[in-house]
Amino acid sequence: MINNQPSVLVTGASSGIGLAITQYLASNGMHVFAGARKQEALEGLAKNSNVTPLKLDVTNSEDIKQTKIIIEEKATGLFGLVNNAGIGNGGPLMDVSVEDLRALFEVNLFGVHQITQAVFPLLLKAKGRIVMMSSDSGFFATPFFGPYCSSKFALEGYSDSLRREITPYGVKVILIEPGRITTPIWDKGEKYLNKYAGSLFAMEARAIGEYAIRKGKTAGLSPLEVAKTIYQVLTAANPKLRYIVAANKLEYQMMKILPASYVDKLALKKVQKVVKLAHAAVNHSK
Ligand SMILES: NC(=O)c1ccc[n+]([C@@H]2O[C@H](COP(=O)([O-])OP(=O)(O)OC[C@H]3O[C@@H](n4cnc5c(N)ncnc54)[C@H](OP(=O)(O)O)[C@@H]3O)[C@@H](O)[C@H]2O)c1
């Protein structure tokens, strides 16, 4: 608490979903410790009232240590931790280097682990809530997005274990599973499109990558929808264990219960369709 306002730490608050969460919670009576890496982002966050910007790279132990010290100095306990920081990259798994896979896990899983461990005593004090930013990629493994999907599936397993360990101590763990949300993450993904040009799977990987980026940039939900869900999760007396935030929520719920062999067929069909569309577009432009 700070001045009777519940305090919440949001990681990756510089852009997209994290920025929307920060602004929404801060304008709805919460105090937000907003983690960001770049000076420019920290200065922008400082302009919001009810926001304390913190330099926080979730892979940097010193930043994490300082984050805990600052929260301890300013607040009584910590009511919420929103593990939002994340990166996404794709590529054919048979061509992705172990270094690239590790880099992704450093942020999307090990970063979550480090920051959660560090502030857990503060969450315990406030009988708080840990909110994990998973994804539809945390339960549906899209072909050619293997690195990202692996990291989000790992986060789901991590969160389920953690919840079963700490719930008796009064700290809740909630998973958010957004579908396509229009944020800068899609622009950042463009650099991977040419990376696997020499691969056996180059054609499929490129077509799927381009399709996902185009849809992500133009047909996603607003990050505000995720922010509103996080507010609900932090204020509900009994939050659910998982929240899907997506336009096609029903389709996703079906994915969770359909047999894997059937989902495999759907995924293969989708790849074939997207490749065909990509070919048609190339031929049309000739
Ligand atoms: N957009 C979607 O469709 C979608 C769907 C499902 C789930 N998600 C998840 O939502 C979360 C936010 O993504 P977004 O779409 O809002 O993308 P975004 O705009 O690219 O935001 C990602 C945030 O994570 C931060 N970040 C990256 N590496 C970091 C590190 N090592 N330490 C601390 N912060 C780091 C970025 O900071 P910098 O600005 O410093 O790089 C940025 O603030 C991610 O976990 C993502 O997987 C997104």
Side-chain angles (χ1 to χ4, degrees):
M1 289 284 222
I2 297 186
N3 302 327
N4 280 332
Q5 293 179 312
S7 49
V8 179
L9 169 60
V10 179
T11 67
S14 67
S15 68
I17 296 173
L19 180 59
I21 296 170
T22 298
Q23 291 171 334
Y24 194 81
L25 298 186
S27 54
N28 283 281
M30 298 190 183
H31 187 91
V32 182
F33 291 98
R37 298 189 292 182
K38 300 177 200 117
Q39 189 54 31
E40 199 188 340
L42 292 165
E43 285 166 15
L45 287 163
K47 291 179 189 145
N48 296 281
S49 52
N50 293 337
V51 173
T52 301
L54 297 174
K55 183 185 164 298
L56 176 58
D57 179 327
V58 296
T59 65
N60 182 316
S61 308
E62 191 50 37
D63 283 2
I64 292 173
K65 201 167 133 197
Q66 288 306 319
T67 295
K68 187 185 177 199
I69 292 172
I70 294 169
I71 299 175
E72 267 173 337
E73 276 170 8
K74 286 197 140 208
T76 314
L78 184 66
F79 184 69
L81 164 64
V82 184
N83 277 314
N84 167 74
I87 53 175
N89 61 46
L93 279 170
M94 290 303 100
D95 297 284
V96 170
S97 68
V98 73
E99 290 76 21
D100 281 355
L101 197 55
R102 229 175 237 142
L104 201 96
F105 272 73
E106 281 300 337
V107 181
N108 293 5
L109 187 71
F110 308 145
V112 169
H113 179 57
Q114 285 198 83
I115 190 73
T116 305
Q117 261 188 347
V119 300
F120 181 65
L122 306 177
L123 289 158
L124 206 51
K125 202 172 187 175
K127 298 229 177 298
R129 295 174 185 191
I130 301 170
V131 185
M132 303 291 198
M133 194 57 70
S134 180
S135 169
D136 54 351
S137 300
F139 59 85
F140 173 62
T142 317
F144 307 108
F145 278 93
Y148 182 68
C149 294
S150 313
S151 73
K152 293 295 185 183
F153 266 71
L155 179 65
E156 295 258 341
Y158 179 94
S159 305
D160 281 346
S161 290
L162 182 65
R163 188 182 64 253
R164 290 163 192 164
E165 293 173 17
I166 68 177
T167 303
Y169 293 84
V171 179
K172 295 187 186 337
V173 180
I174 300 108
L175 278 151
I176 310 296
E177 299 171 326
R180 196 181 283 136
I181 311 291
T182 299
T183 72
I185 204 169
W186 300 106
D187 301 303
K188 295 174 190 173
E190 277 181 340
K191 63 175 180 279
Y192 295 97
L193 286 176
N194 290 324
K195 192 165 177 172
Y196 302 102
S199 162
L200 170 66
F201 311 96
M203 195 175 60
E204 295 95 324
R206 189 175 181 97
I208 289 286
E210 279 178 343
Y211 174 83
I213 290 171
R214 188 172 65 250
K215 288 283 188 183
K217 282 180 168 183
T218 58
L221 289 184
S222 156
L224 182 61
E225 296 306 317
V226 186
K228 286 179 183 167
T229 305
I230 303 289
Y231 180 76
Q232 195 188 334
V233 164
L234 292 172
T235 52
N238 289 305
K240 295 188 294 180
L241 305 185
R242 284 175 162 75
Y243 289 75
I244 295 177
V245 187
N248 47 345
K249 212 168 158 177
L250 196 64
E251 198 181 306
Y252 284 137
Q253 275 157 348
M254 293 286 289
M255 292 287 193
K256 288 191 179 204
I257 53 171
L258 286 169
S261 56
Y262 186 74
V263 179
D264 283 1
K265 285 189 188 116
L266 290 181
L268 185 62
K269 262 194 180 166
K270 181 82 180 186
V271 173
Q272 288 166 342
K273 189 176 158 191
V274 170
V275 169
K276 208 170 155 188
L277 283 172
H279 273 309
V282 170
N283 290 337
H284 184 72
S285 65
K286 274 182 188 165

